[in-house]
Amino acid sequence: MQISTPKQLKELQQKFQDKDNKLVKKIIVCHGPGCLASGAEKIFEEFQQVLSKKKIKGVTLEALKKTGCHGLCEKAPLVAIEPAGILYTRVKPRLVEDIIEKTVKNDEVIPELLYQDPETKKRVEKYRDIKFYSHQTRIALRNLGHINTADIEDFIRVGGYQAMAKAITKMTPERIIDEVTKSGLRGRGGGGFSTGRKWATCRKVKDDTHYVICNGDEGDPGAFMDRAIMEGDPHSVLEGMIIAAFAVGARSGYIYVREEYPLAVVNLQIAIEQAREYGLLGESIFGTDFSFDIQINRGAGAFVCGESSALMKSVAGEVGEPRAKYIRSVVKGLYDKPTVLNNVETFANVPVIIDRGAKWFTGIGAPKNSGTKAFSLVGKVRNTGLIEVPMGTSLREIIYDIGGGLIDGRPFKAVQTGGPSGGCLPDSLLDSPVDFDSLTKAGSMMGSGGMIVMDDRTCMVDVAKYFLSFLVSESCGKCNPCREGLYQLYKLAVKVSEGRAEEDDLEKMEKLSDMIIIGSLCGLGKSGPNPFLSTVRYFREEYLAHIKEKKCPAGVCRELIRFEINDKCDGCTACILACAYNAITGKKKEPHVINQDLCTHCGACVTVCTRNAIDVI
Amino acid sequence: MRSRLIVNPNLCTGCRTCELACSFTHSVAGKPGLSRIYPLDGGFKDLFVPVVCLQCEDPACARSCLVDAITRNPETGAMELDDKKCVRCQACVSACPFGCSLFDRVNNLVVKCDLCGGDPACAHFCPTKALEYKPIVPKALKSAG
Amino acid sequence: MVNITINGKLVQAYEDEMLLTAIRRENIDIPALCHHEAVEPYGACRLCMVEITKDEWDGWKNHVTSCLYPVEEGLIVNTHTPTVIELRKTILDLFLAGSPRSTVIRKLAAEYGVTKTSYEEVPDGTDCILCGLCTRVCDKMGFSAISAVNRGHGKEIAPPLNEPPPDCVGCLSCAYICPTRYIKFTDDGKTRKIWGRKFKLLHCEKTGQPTITEEFARYLVKNRQIPEDYFKINDLSHRKELALKMGEITQWGREE
Ligand SMILES: Cc1cc2nc3c(=O)[nH]c(=O)nc-3n(C[C@H](O)[C@H](O)[C@H](O)COP(=O)(O)O)c2cc1C
Ligand code: FES
């Protein structure tokens, strides 16, 4: 099936819509990363089996959909029944028959499976009424949870490739770039550079070859927005890339996918093949002289390979080391040719902008930060998951309304944004808006969209230590300030956490951080000290407690804490069993004691104590 | 017309002034360097041959240099060795069929004749004109002149 | 030619050359440990960093590695501002923590007033500062016998699989180019040992003097079309041979 005119595409869309309209009900089985990990495939198979056994009028196997991430990963696996919009959480295969019998067949809701509001304890029937969903605006994630993954028919049905048709047949490259520039779209990979300006510069470089690359490396620990898009809606990425290619005059494109994302590779590959089959990739697209094709590159499994120059070296088959930025990659990028590199989410935004116009897009979000941003909300919040909010939404709204507040109602301590080289923001900044400029001003950054919420039991020195150690091992090791500087910064953080540091060590760390920022070659080093700088900026007392009082207020740093048994102990002996160092003694039914000389502060006793009888001091 | 270093063994007395001149011109840190020219025994009585780089058309030294440190100076025509690029692998020393790339052990340098940038000291100081640096004039022009 | 200002002095630089070249031509001493003309600039040691600005930049300044920043008309360069000096000091301090025994590093650090590292010495630190010169020159020469392995703080230079590298020809360029003389080799006039490999040296058939390794000569014969018999004798014997040949020719002229 080759589509050669926009009219044909419209007709095809109509055809698929008609087919879809015949479905009275749709059963959405989320196949996002979280749900897959909790057994979504089994549930899907179960639905297939039960559905083919029971003949329900108007509900065929076609009604069953495997979609990308629905969002509320905390409650995975998720099943939604559309069009009613009923969301079932923590579904198990044995419940499938019930769901079909009651909800699909008889429109009867199963209350136990519904989402329960943590505050009101009320069950919410329609997922759109759940605050987690109602506070979101989905653009990049628009199709996730709605259409089949890697299914071009479903994608075309919801209007896919229409923007591309419009761009190629009705717009000039200049018009497209102008529209994208006016939309104010900024790179979602972290830097926040104007996408339109990037394209314009690339187009202006006179050369016979231009490239378009999609950055799907997503190396931030805990982040999975790009993964969700590539797995769940790969065609959106392709459509964005095709529009970009047409705009800058590229004939080939690459998608660089992180090594750990095999399903993304599979689904992108399927999508590419489908697009070729439909004539949307290949020679003379829509009968014009524009030709474009896309290839997938598997990442090298290194965080630093997400950095633009390292990524291009890796695509070219060289070692993924960043190079100096004095020659910009838009001018001399892959194979020294002008290259546009954009993030997955950036590309996924492009078709919508072309379709609905720059004006519409700038109406969403904040000044100079138009549109939305996807985040993976993780950590100590009740509703972890994949979210997308207008730029400028406050941290409080994200954490408390969408995230449902902290687990067990514990006090909020900090939120970490921007990936490993981002920063931690305290409660005093909860009301500041989330956008590129505000986050940077606050000493953190947007990054690609990881958001980790921390409660009062988190030690900020420990957090800084964790991220620094990540960066020390993930630095490419090329330049001295990043390789040796971050290593020493990490060592100093360890010194603080072990209570060996002195007050002037903090100053030393700050000075070293400044030098690492000036001296490093690429963004990794230049933002590497952020985990330290932001925590010391907002949580200086906590550092000082470690240094002066030799105490870890959060009770995390092993060298600075002590375990003691309180009077709640009823002598159950569980802790004695658990202690591998024979540090706990005591008779049955008599209070136990910890021998501080033998205790290694491993915390095993705390894990097994059911009486809350062990205090961390 | 480009000048060349012309060697006339018939006039060479083996006095080694050229060697000295070369050493001093190519001094390293104030001390005389390794000479790039040697009047050697020609195999017959009183016959000395000043051996010096011939600045070949397709020189083995440059071909063997894997870091492209030996290139032709377009003005003088000399094959010059850029010491800043040289990595001392001594491929050229071994590859030159005339033995005119040399390794200076004292200073850890690979050296060869560079025609002193257009005014070769050896020719300048040669008392007998066994070494001359002069334009090669085509025969046709010569007779006309 | 482009006009730039270095430390207040207006100088001319060649188009396309790097700042470091222009700075060094002015006899200004700035350290550079990962730079060598034989290979492309790399920007790893960061010691050559300088401050740059332009009149039209409204006071905005940037710090760049001069070894790979191409000169630009109107550039104002300062090679020894307090920040730049502080930066070099920090870098040398960090290098010293990693290579406390290296005389080259110690000397350079001392020039910047660092005689003892203020950081924790790296356990099992070596004199290798990962400047990448050895691997780059090996690549440039076409052997690619050694490369950097691992990343982050565990990065090191090694032959593949840490075994004697099959592609090495024993040319010693890596050892020569190593700024801290970390790459060790032995040469007793018969055999040469480097990277765990042994190489037989060729010897001049006339003088018996050693020249280059058999493998290196073979490589040059094969890839650079140098006739094999050129390697039979050494340079001195070549010169003597030339003198005798020319002597013979001259003698004919005399006899006539
Ligand atoms: C150390 C480092 C890691 C990065 N990792 C990623 C990544 O995983 N994904 C990504 O899209 N961009 C990453 N970036 C940003 C890219 O260099 C680049 O700016 C981005 O892909 C450009 O696309 P955009 O303009 O659409 O954001 C990283 C940058 C640095 C310095
Ligand atoms: S010489 Fe410029 S960074 Fe090392």
Side-chain angles (χ1 to χ4, degrees), chain C residues 20 31-35 42-49 65-68:
Chain C
L20 180 65
L33 285 175
C34 71
H35 181 78
Y42 189 58
C45 76
R46 321 301 285 173
L47 284 169
C48 68
M49 277 204 147
T65 41
S66 60
C67 67
L68 39 64

Side-chain angles (χ1 to χ4, degrees), chain A residues 52-71:
Chain A
S52 36
K53 258 193 281 163
K54 291 194 176 62
K55 297 266 176 297
I56 304 168
K57 210 169 150 259
V59 185
T60 58
L61 277 181
E62 302 243 313
L64 202 50
K65 281 190 190 281
K66 230 186 233 188
T67 72
C69 182
H70 205 275

Side-chain angles (χ1 to χ4, degrees), chain C residues 13-227:
Chain C
Y14 297 99
E15 241 147 283
D16 295 332
E17 75 177 349
M18 296 296 163
L19 263 183
L20 180 65
T21 319
I23 292 169
R24 289 206 160 155
R25 196 166 34 240
E26 291 304 305
N27 287 323
I28 297 165
D29 185 30
I30 57 174
L33 285 175
C34 71
H35 181 78
H36 194 280
E37 299 278 341
V39 290
E40 296 291 307
Y42 189 58
C45 76
R46 321 301 285 173
L47 284 169
C48 68
M49 277 204 147
V50 295
E51 181 201 89
I52 56 166
T53 185
K54 276 187 182 182
D55 279 337
E56 63 263 34
W57 286 358
D58 289 333
W60 186 72
K61 289 174 179 144
N62 198 4
H63 290 94
V64 298
T65 41
S66 60
C67 67
L68 39 64
Y69 197 94
V71 295
E72 266 169 40
E73 182 66 36
L75 213 54
I76 300 166
V77 185
N78 280 301
T79 63
H80 285 79
T81 66
T83 311
V84 169
I85 291 173
E86 182 64 36
L87 182 68
R88 287 195 199 127
K89 243 172 124 157
T90 309
I91 292 171
L92 287 165
D93 199 344
L94 289 166
F95 270 137
L96 201 55
S99 314
R101 283 165 297 279
S102 164
T103 42
V104 176
I105 298 296
R106 290 214 328 238
K107 187 164 162 274
L108 200 52
E111 278 174 31
Y112 277 80
V114 185
T115 47
K116 193 176 164 297
T117 181
S118 50
Y119 302 105
E120 229 174 87
E121 276 189 14
V122 177
D124 333 308
T126 68
D127 285 2
C128 175
I129 55 159
L130 292 163
C131 65
L133 278 171
C134 53
T135 55
R136 279 181 288 150
V137 80
C138 194
D139 285 345
K140 166 102 184 211
M141 295 179 86
F143 307 124
S144 300
I146 47 171
S147 60
V149 289
N150 303 331
R151 57 173 183 271
H153 201 255
K155 187 171 187 160
E156 55 185 17
I157 306 295
L161 310 171
N162 252 320
E163 283 168 12
D167 296 328
C168 178
V169 298
C171 72
L172 301 187
S173 300
C174 55
Y176 165 73
I177 210 167
C178 175
T180 59
R181 296 281 175 272
Y182 173 62
I183 299 177
K184 296 284 179 287
F185 67 94
T186 60
D187 187 333
D188 62 4
K190 285 205 176 65
T191 40
R192 201 176 258 183
K193 287 190 204 156
I194 189 164
W195 296 111
R197 260 194 81 176
K198 258 193 216 164
F199 297 95
K200 268 236 288 290
L201 287 165
L202 289 174
H203 291 87
C204 171
E205 284 177 1
K206 297 217 165 107
T207 63
Q209 292 292 317
T211 59
I212 55 175
T213 67
E214 279 178 14
E215 282 80 356
F216 195 14
R218 216 175 299 136
Y219 181 90
L220 294 170
V221 170
K222 182 153 174 270
N223 296 290
R224 294 293 172 132
Q225 287 78 44
I226 310 287

